[in-house]
Each structure stands twice: as C-alpha cells, then as structure tokens.
Amino acid sequence: MKKWEVEADGIKHTIEYKVGFTKKIIVDGETYKVKSSNAFINLIDYAISFGDTDCRLVVIGAKADLAVNGTFLGSKKPYEPISNLPVWIYVLVGLSILGGMLFAGILSLIVGLLMSILYIQFGLKKKTGPVIACFIICSAIQGLIGCFLASLLYLY
C-alpha cells in the first residue's frame, strides 16, 4: 500500500493505492477500482483533481508514484503520460513476454516481464537506445534459457 497526503485550497487530502485481489485507489475514503491499461504489465495512469490541484497516480509494474501539478512527489521528475509511449514499445513488450514464454517457458516469461518494465520506463524518458539494448539483452537471456532447457532435454 502506498499513501500520499496532498494539500489543496487549504484542505488536506489523502490518496492511497492498494493492491490485493483487486487494485484500488482510495481518495479521502472513497474507493475506486482501477484496471491496468496493458494486458501484460500493470500500467495505471489515474487522474484526481482537487479544485486547481491536478494529481496523477501512475503505476508501472509494482512501482507507484503520485504527480501533483506535473511533478512526481517521490522522484521529483516531471509527469509524462503513459499514453505517450510509442506503439513499438508495446510490440517489444509482447514479443518479450509471449515470445519468451513460447520459446523457453515460465522462466523466460518472468525475464520478459521484468525487462518489459524497463522498456516502459526508458520509453517514458524518450530514451530509444536503452530500450533497444534491453530488448537485445532480454532476447539473449531468453535464448540462453532456451538452449539450457533444450540441452537438459537432450541429455534425458
């Protein structure tokens, strides 16, 4: 559970993000169920307004941060909408996760999930080089896992 307090127009507001059986955002005691915008990785970008104060709760994987008036409270970085991610990054996410699982099973799927979080984080920062480098590293690791599993099967 993550919790933030935001003061707007002289009133203190509480925002909580809870993960359990369902994902919930609690704003001043009011509960809202939220859903990821991506089938593979937990991606949430939820708008909350208190008068002139605009808040965005952004969740990527298990990492959550609250942006207030365009600046994240935790990282102090400027807010960048998740919707600004290029489509090709989502293609790499799908290839890494589904392709990895089909090629080398559950272990490779986990590697694909973890690396896909990096694709999204670098993509939000508009860093193309690191995204491609992470994809190549992910593919190499998945290839090694596949070769290792194939050699085990060959031995038996």
Side-chain angles (χ1 to χ4, degrees), residues 97-105 108 139-147 149:
I97 294 171
L98 291 178
M101 184 187 72
L102 293 173
F103 182 68
S108 193
S139 298
I141 292 170
Q142 289 174 329
L144 289 171
I145 292 169
C147 290
L149 293 175

Side-chain angles (χ1 to χ4, degrees), residues 21-26 30-35 46:
F21 185 66
T22 60
K23 297 169 188 77
K24 299 176 188 174
I25 295 174
I26 303 168
E30 293 278 331
T31 302
Y32 304 92
K33 290 182 182 177
V34 291
K35 214 173 146 185
Y46 191 81

Side-chain angles (χ1 to χ4, degrees), residues 96 103 108 111 115 119 133-148:
S96 294
F103 182 68
S108 193
V111 169
M115 295 299 279
Y119 306 164
C134 285
F135 178 72
I136 292 169
I137 291 167
C138 179
S139 298
I141 292 170
Q142 289 174 329
L144 289 171
I145 292 169
C147 290
F148 176 73

